[in-house]
Amino acid sequence: MHSILTALLGTLVLVASPTAPAVSPMSPSDDERDLEKALIATFHDEWKGNDPEQLALAITHLSDGSRAMEDRGADKTISRLLVKGTREDSLVVQAAAIEALAWGRDIDTVLDACEEVLEELHSQVARRATRPDSESRAYLHAALAVYEQTCEVLASHVDDRSVDILEARLRLLRRDNYVDLTSAYLSGPLSNALLQLRSRDAVYAVVKQTQAFVGGWNAQPAAHVFHRELSQLALSLDLEPPLFSGRFDVTWGDWFREHDDRFPKKLGKLKEPTEPPTAPLRAPGARAPGLRRGPR
């Protein structure tokens, strides 16, 4: 028995005392930290000067590189660096940043950035909505594309905070003493995004805002946009939309009261970064039956 115990102890000593040093490969967390540091260093090297194409490229490189990380770039450090692009004057840079923030990023950072972009672009659209010169028209076209892109990002973040941001912007649209092209241009992206979110509050926000565009020739452009968006929602639910009329706010109010139980009361609050978005409810700006697209 003694000889057996001695042999076992000798074996344990050999196992516990290897003659060669143990190999210590880097853990995944170390790899992640090194990759993030390299991406951030490259970003700071590229984020220089005033060339919009160069700045947009810096955003794209950081965005694409971060997707190779285990969290796909969801941490606040990467997300906040990407937000730098939304605060540039160049629409090229803003568009690159919004695309980079579209999914899988820190939720609070994305929502705050989208709110800022919508506020700034609203001001820019309002300044140029009626200017006839080619430079203003070109800027307006590009600004509306980024505005619509930002609304789509909010629509893909199914969260009551997205509804609050979009509703607050929608409430600012009002009929004025002329054809308010700003409201006509922005009502489509805002209402479409809200109706994609489809909570009771989101749908009601669009229905309620129809009251601001009742009657008068100057209300017609935005009124038709609201009716178009709500009609698309109704048709997607296999429901008959009301006909457009001078009191379309009343008919849509009645429609909502009849069908409000089709929509959830609340969406809740996102706790995890979003997945890559699937196809939207429909292509932005698609036509409803018998209605023309918004103003050009």
Side-chain angles (χ1 to χ4, degrees):
M1 177 67 70
H2 177 74
S3 62
I4 295 175
L5 288 174
T6 302
L8 287 172
L9 287 171
T11 302
L12 290 172
V13 169
L14 289 173
V15 172
S17 305
T19 57
V23 177
S24 300
M26 293 179 67
S27 68
S29 60
D30 290 334
D31 287 338
E32 286 292 288
R33 282 194 291 269
D34 283 353
L35 176 56
E36 184 175 73
K37 287 179 182 177
L39 288 171
I40 292 172
T42 300
F43 175 77
H44 287 308
D45 286 341
E46 294 180 340
W47 189 260
K48 295 176 181 177
N50 298 314
D51 179 14
E53 296 292 341
Q54 173 65 30
L55 297 180
L57 195 61
I59 291 289
T60 301
H61 285 166
L62 178 61
S63 177
D64 291 348
S66 68
R67 298 303 189 191
M69 298 172 64
E70 285 187 2
D71 69 354
R72 299 188 293 185
D75 75 356
K76 285 190 176 183
T77 301
I78 296 294
S79 299
R80 287 173 176 172
L81 285 175
L82 294 171
V83 168
K84 288 170 67 72
T86 67
R87 294 168 180 161
E88 289 293 307
D89 292 336
S90 167
L91 292 171
V92 172
V93 185
Q94 288 181 30
I98 291 298
E99 182 177 353
L101 293 168
W103 63 272
R105 308 300 184 184
D106 177 70
I107 302 298
D108 292 339
T109 304
V110 171
L111 297 183
D112 289 346
C114 287
E115 185 172 20
E116 291 177 7
V117 169
L118 293 184
E119 181 177 3
E120 173 60 23
L121 289 182
H122 187 144
S123 298
Q124 297 297 337
V125 169
R127 291 174 192 169
R128 296 171 171 84
T130 58
R131 292 182 185 176
D133 62 282
S134 58
E135 183 178 351
S136 294
R137 303 308 295 173
Y139 182 93
L140 180 65
H141 179 78
L144 289 171
V146 178
Y147 193 94
E148 188 169 13
Q149 181 185 18
T150 306
C151 289
E152 285 295 315
V153 172
L154 286 171
S156 70
H157 285 71
V158 183
D159 187 305
D160 287 316
R161 292 170 293 175
S162 294
V163 175
D164 291 342
I165 292 168
L166 292 162
E167 180 186 7
R169 303 311 310 174
L170 193 70
R171 285 200 308 266
L172 296 177
L173 304 184
R174 288 288 186 271
R175 177 163 60 98
D176 211 329
N177 294 324
Y178 55 94
V179 176
D180 186 0
L181 291 180
T182 300
S183 292
Y185 283 130
L186 302 186
S187 55
L190 290 171
S191 56
N192 177 246
L194 282 163
L195 297 178
Q196 286 188 57
L197 288 164
R198 293 198 180 196
S199 71
R200 199 167 299 178
D201 287 345
V203 177
Y204 180 66
V206 179
V207 171
K208 183 179 180 180
Q209 195 61 18
T210 60
Q211 299 171 10
F213 298 95
V214 174
W217 62 273
N218 53 333
Q220 290 298 305
H224 280 289
V225 171
F226 278 105
H227 183 72
R228 178 191 71 205
E229 300 298 332
L230 287 165
S231 295
Q232 286 288 345
L233 173 66
L235 292 171
S236 74
L237 297 170
D238 294 324
L239 298 172
E240 186 70 22
L243 296 174
F244 184 79
S245 70
R247 293 310 308 271
F248 79 118
D249 61 320
V250 174
T251 55
W252 276 112
D254 293 341
W255 180 92
F256 177 75
R257 282 186 290 275
E258 183 179 354
H259 302 295
D260 65 351
D261 59 348
R262 302 286 291 266
F263 310 106
K265 289 184 178 181
K266 294 292 180 182
L267 302 174
K269 186 176 182 179
L270 286 171
K271 295 181 173 58
E272 298 293 335
T274 58
E275 294 297 315
T278 56
L281 177 66
R282 62 178 177 81
R287 296 183 182 184
L291 288 179
R292 63 180 176 80
R293 191 178 175 127
R296 296 183 181 276

CSV table of all heavy atoms in Angstrom, one decimal, residues 174-180 217-218:
chain,number,residue,atom,x,y,z
A,174,ARG,N,-47.2,73.0,-38.7
A,174,ARG,CA,-48.5,73.8,-38.7
A,174,ARG,C,-48.7,74.4,-40.0
A,174,ARG,O,-47.8,74.8,-40.8
A,174,ARG,CB,-48.3,74.9,-37.6
A,174,ARG,CG,-48.4,74.4,-36.2
A,174,ARG,CD,-49.8,74.0,-35.8
A,174,ARG,NE,-49.9,73.6,-34.4
A,174,ARG,CZ,-49.7,72.4,-33.9
A,174,ARG,NH1,-49.3,71.5,-34.7
A,174,ARG,NH2,-49.8,72.2,-32.6
A,175,ARG,N,-50.0,74.6,-40.3
A,175,ARG,CA,-50.4,75.4,-41.5
A,175,ARG,C,-50.2,76.9,-41.2
A,175,ARG,O,-50.5,77.4,-40.2
A,175,ARG,CB,-51.9,75.1,-41.8
A,175,ARG,CG,-52.4,75.9,-42.9
A,175,ARG,CD,-53.7,75.3,-43.4
A,175,ARG,NE,-54.8,75.3,-42.4
A,175,ARG,CZ,-55.7,76.2,-42.3
A,175,ARG,NH1,-55.8,77.2,-43.2
A,175,ARG,NH2,-56.6,76.2,-41.3
A,176,ASP,N,-49.6,77.5,-42.2
A,176,ASP,CA,-49.4,79.0,-42.1
A,176,ASP,C,-50.2,79.7,-43.1
A,176,ASP,O,-51.1,79.2,-43.7
A,176,ASP,CB,-47.9,79.2,-42.3
A,176,ASP,CG,-47.4,80.4,-41.5
A,176,ASP,OD1,-48.2,81.4,-41.3
A,176,ASP,OD2,-46.2,80.4,-41.1
A,177,ASN,N,-49.9,81.0,-43.3
A,177,ASN,CA,-50.6,81.8,-44.2
A,177,ASN,C,-50.2,81.7,-45.7
A,177,ASN,O,-50.5,82.5,-46.5
A,177,ASN,CB,-50.5,83.3,-43.8
A,177,ASN,CG,-51.2,83.5,-42.5
A,177,ASN,OD1,-52.2,82.9,-42.2
A,177,ASN,ND2,-50.7,84.4,-41.7
A,178,TYR,N,-49.5,80.6,-45.9
A,178,TYR,CA,-49.1,80.3,-47.3
A,178,TYR,C,-48.9,78.8,-47.4
A,178,TYR,O,-49.2,78.1,-46.4
A,178,TYR,CB,-47.7,80.9,-47.6
A,178,TYR,CG,-46.6,80.6,-46.7
A,178,TYR,CD1,-45.8,79.5,-46.9
A,178,TYR,CD2,-46.5,81.3,-45.5
A,178,TYR,CE1,-44.8,79.2,-46.0
A,178,TYR,CE2,-45.5,80.9,-44.5
A,178,TYR,CZ,-44.6,79.9,-44.8
A,178,TYR,OH,-43.7,79.5,-43.9
A,179,VAL,N,-48.6,78.3,-48.5
A,179,VAL,CA,-48.4,76.8,-48.7
A,179,VAL,C,-47.1,76.5,-47.9
A,179,VAL,O,-46.0,76.8,-48.3
A,179,VAL,CB,-48.3,76.4,-50.2
A,179,VAL,CG1,-48.0,74.9,-50.3
A,179,VAL,CG2,-49.5,76.8,-50.9
A,180,ASP,N,-47.3,75.9,-46.8
A,180,ASP,CA,-46.1,75.6,-45.9
A,180,ASP,C,-45.4,74.3,-46.4
A,180,ASP,O,-45.8,73.2,-46.0
A,180,ASP,CB,-46.6,75.4,-44.5
A,180,ASP,CG,-45.5,75.2,-43.5
A,180,ASP,OD1,-44.3,75.2,-44.0
A,180,ASP,OD2,-45.7,75.0,-42.3
A,217,TRP,N,-56.6,76.2,-49.2
A,217,TRP,CA,-55.8,75.7,-50.2
A,217,TRP,C,-54.3,75.5,-49.7
A,217,TRP,O,-53.6,74.6,-50.2
A,217,TRP,CB,-55.7,76.7,-51.4
A,217,TRP,CG,-55.2,78.1,-51.0
A,217,TRP,CD1,-55.9,79.1,-50.4
A,217,TRP,CD2,-53.9,78.5,-51.0
A,217,TRP,NE1,-55.1,80.2,-50.1
A,217,TRP,CE2,-53.8,79.8,-50.5
A,217,TRP,CE3,-52.7,78.0,-51.5
A,217,TRP,CZ2,-52.7,80.6,-50.4
A,217,TRP,CZ3,-51.5,78.7,-51.4
A,217,TRP,CH2,-51.5,80.0,-50.9
A,218,ASN,N,-53.9,76.3,-48.7
A,218,ASN,CA,-52.6,76.2,-48.3
A,218,ASN,C,-52.3,75.0,-47.4
A,218,ASN,O,-51.2,74.6,-47.0
A,218,ASN,CB,-52.2,77.4,-47.5
A,218,ASN,CG,-53.1,77.8,-46.4
A,218,ASN,OD1,-54.3,77.5,-46.5
A,218,ASN,ND2,-52.7,78.5,-45.4
